[in-house]
Amino acid sequence: MATTAFNSQIFIQEAIPGFESQSSDLRRTVHTVANIRGTSATFLVADSGSAVATTRGADGLIPARPDSLTQSTATLTEYHDLVRKTEYTIDFGQADQRQIAIRTTNLVINKKIDYDIIGQLDTATNQVSATADLASLSMVAAAMKKLGENGINPNDSENLFAVVTPAFYSQLMQIKEFTSSDYVDVKPMAGGMSQKMKRWFGVNWIQSNLLTGMGTATEKCYIYHRDAIGHAIDKATFKIDAGFNDEQAYYWVRASANMGSKMLQQGGVVQLLHTGNVA
């Protein structure tokens, strides 16, 4: 006969988040516009067309030139995430079921933003190599060399980003130049808990488990300039609504966004193919 009898189940009235990103990591690394009304957003890339200063001509006149203006259009598509929970689930379910629905539907939309941007990165035509290899100092140096040859200022650290898989990043952690404070400009914790990026080689590094081919022999990782990719979102339609259906007695929460991304300048993106299955 037992001398004690304890309850075998204790339900903690607090929901523990699953392993999903709570925000978009990539939106802050690209050129963004938010106040849009319509089904598309047109970005304008403007430069001199690689012009250099000249002297006066033989006739004494200063030669004139046009600016190079390139328009690229991102098609906006509406995306939604809808969560339904019965009245019974809301009233008697463990933890705050309505707050869970609001949180998860928000992160689903943010995840879609990252996937949308990655879809444009995947259209990159510049590669370090057409053959995948393990991450290395020479691979990163080759990517930076290619960006420099394409006109990207290698000292523009505020606008240079790398998005890589966990396998790529773990390989970098074995490079002394990547881990040494002598080579790292910005440390992840230096700016407080909100600082997620490490700056090395003049590039801000982000890990993402959403990249194409993650965990395979051909992971697609990237180093790019902010102005190479455009992301547009209709701020007026980006919202979360909630309500109750009286007829069927269920609660609903819906997140909606009208958005799209576009490759603006191929020269500003370099793809690094990584053998993530053996890293």
Side-chain angles (χ1 to χ4, degrees), residues 96-114:
D96 189 332
Q97 293 293 318
R98 274 178 289 194
Q99 284 302 314
I100 292 173
I102 291 172
R103 178 179 61 81
T104 60
T105 197
N106 181 59
L107 68 85
V108 166
I109 290 294
N110 279 311
K111 186 191 302 181
K112 181 58 184 177
I113 291 174
D114 280 359

Side-chain angles (χ1 to χ4, degrees), residues 147-186:
L147 285 176
E149 292 172 345
N150 290 342
I152 305 301
N153 182 357
N155 299 313
D156 192 9
S157 297
E158 293 297 322
N159 293 304
L160 285 171
F161 299 91
V163 55
V164 299
T165 62
F168 192 108
Y169 198 88
S170 67
Q171 200 67 25
L172 290 179
M173 290 297 291
Q174 301 177 53
I175 301 173
K176 64 180 178 62
E177 289 84 358
F178 185 77
T179 58
S180 172
S181 61
D182 293 334
Y183 298 92
V184 177
D185 301 326
V186 176

Side-chain angles (χ1 to χ4, degrees), residues 60-77:
L61 298 178
I62 299 173
R65 65 165 182 84
D67 280 325
S68 175
L69 306 176
T70 304
Q71 292 179 304
S72 297
T73 300
T75 300
L76 273 61
T77 304

Side-chain angles (χ1 to χ4, degrees), residues 212-224:
T212 303
M214 187 192 70
T216 70
T218 52
E219 295 182 333
K220 293 182 178 180
C221 302
Y222 299 93
I223 297 181
Y224 57 99

